Amino acid sequence: MAPAPNLKSADFYEVLGVARDASDAQITKAYRKLAQKHHPDKNLARKEQAEEEFKCIAEAYDVLHDPEKRKLYDRFGKEGLQGGVPEAGAAGMSPDQADMFANLFGGHGHGGHGHGGTRVIFTGPDGMSMDADGIDLSDIFMSMGMGGMGGMGGMGGMGGMGGMGGMGGNMSMGGMGFPMGGSRSRSSHRDSCAIRSGTEVVVHGLNKAKEHNGKRGHVRSFDGHRGRYEVQLEDGNVIHARVENLTQNCVVQVHGLTSKPELNGQAGQIAGFDGASGRYVVLVQASSPTVVSLQPGNCILRPQTCVHLRGLSKDELNGSRAQIREVDVQAGRYLVHLQNGKQIKVKFENVLC
């Protein structure tokens, strides 16, 4: 039996009076019923109050009816929708966030409520359990599955990320293997600009198959003639998507933040992309794991990352596939190798992974 609507609740599901696993049809039905009941034109005697109630109902429906927004809300709450930075420490991480955090970093997590808030226990790939209650969660980053992230040499190599200082143009990013300045990476791939098979991605922005937006999966192959990737989703479905509808779960370094300068120089991993705001959702290794919404210009990608270009003055280059070859932090630019064989320099904000 569905719960009764509660317009005073901060939870969108409770506002509409639907279960958290409600279908889109159930959400729409609940919204229409409430919207009709609380419409200001039908409540002239208390019009101001009805207007506030109607706004509350519309806001809840706007989020829960949109697959991508609903995914973000389910994982990060309202902060994830607003680009905020909710703390994801042991006492502040929800069970859903714990599961997502653990899945992204190669293990499994579950949460339960104790005296100090949410208690989070992670089980690493080797089966060892770790209770996050009262310990530094940076240890979890170093013990989970990030060692398989292509050349990172295990998360232990990231321990020095916090003390990178000014990051000069020829700086090397510790164990993450970010060659800077004149150091060039090599690629032996036939199509160096195509996302590699096996890469984990998040789907977004689909118009004809919106039910798949927000789902995670991995790339199986790339069809250069059609310009589409074959993606195996976690739910077993297989889709064919353009590069602009996929975001890779890339490892990044936070850069150039003014609102949260303490995060600059920290390592993180992209967990999703909000097409409406043009921001990544990033899990950052700080003093405690933190979820933050970042512009692409604030995320430094690694050399050899396959990307696509946007926002360039030469419109014919927008949408082009490319591979990052060099990273110049001081200039805020990548040297990228285009699919046509040419190389150009582009600003950090003109690249999406």
Side-chain angles (χ1 to χ4, degrees), residues 43-93:
N43 296 272
L44 296 178
R46 56 180 197 90
K47 188 171 183 179
E48 289 187 7
Q49 181 182 351
E51 286 177 348
E52 292 302 315
E53 292 171 348
F54 191 79
K55 288 179 182 179
C56 178
I57 295 165
E59 181 186 16
Y61 177 70
D62 177 66
V63 172
L64 300 185
H65 179 61
D66 185 300
E68 290 187 60
K69 290 181 180 179
R70 186 176 179 181
K71 281 278 187 181
L72 282 173
Y73 178 71
D74 287 347
R75 289 174 175 173
F76 307 116
K78 290 183 179 180
E79 293 89 347
L81 297 168
Q82 298 167 354
V85 188
E87 292 299 324
M93 186 183 290

Side-chain angles (χ1 to χ4, degrees), residues 297-335:
N298 297 122
C299 299
I300 302 178
L301 298 164
R302 299 174 59 200
Q304 297 189 7
T305 300
C306 296
V307 298
H308 62 281
L309 308 181
R310 59 144 193 191
L312 296 172
S313 57
K314 292 185 178 180
D315 191 57
E316 66 273 15
L317 294 177
N318 291 322
S320 296
R321 292 184 293 110
Q323 184 194 64
I324 295 174
R325 292 297 177 87
E326 295 180 10
V327 182
D328 188 336
V329 176
Q330 289 184 333
R333 282 172 168 76
Y334 299 114
L335 175 68

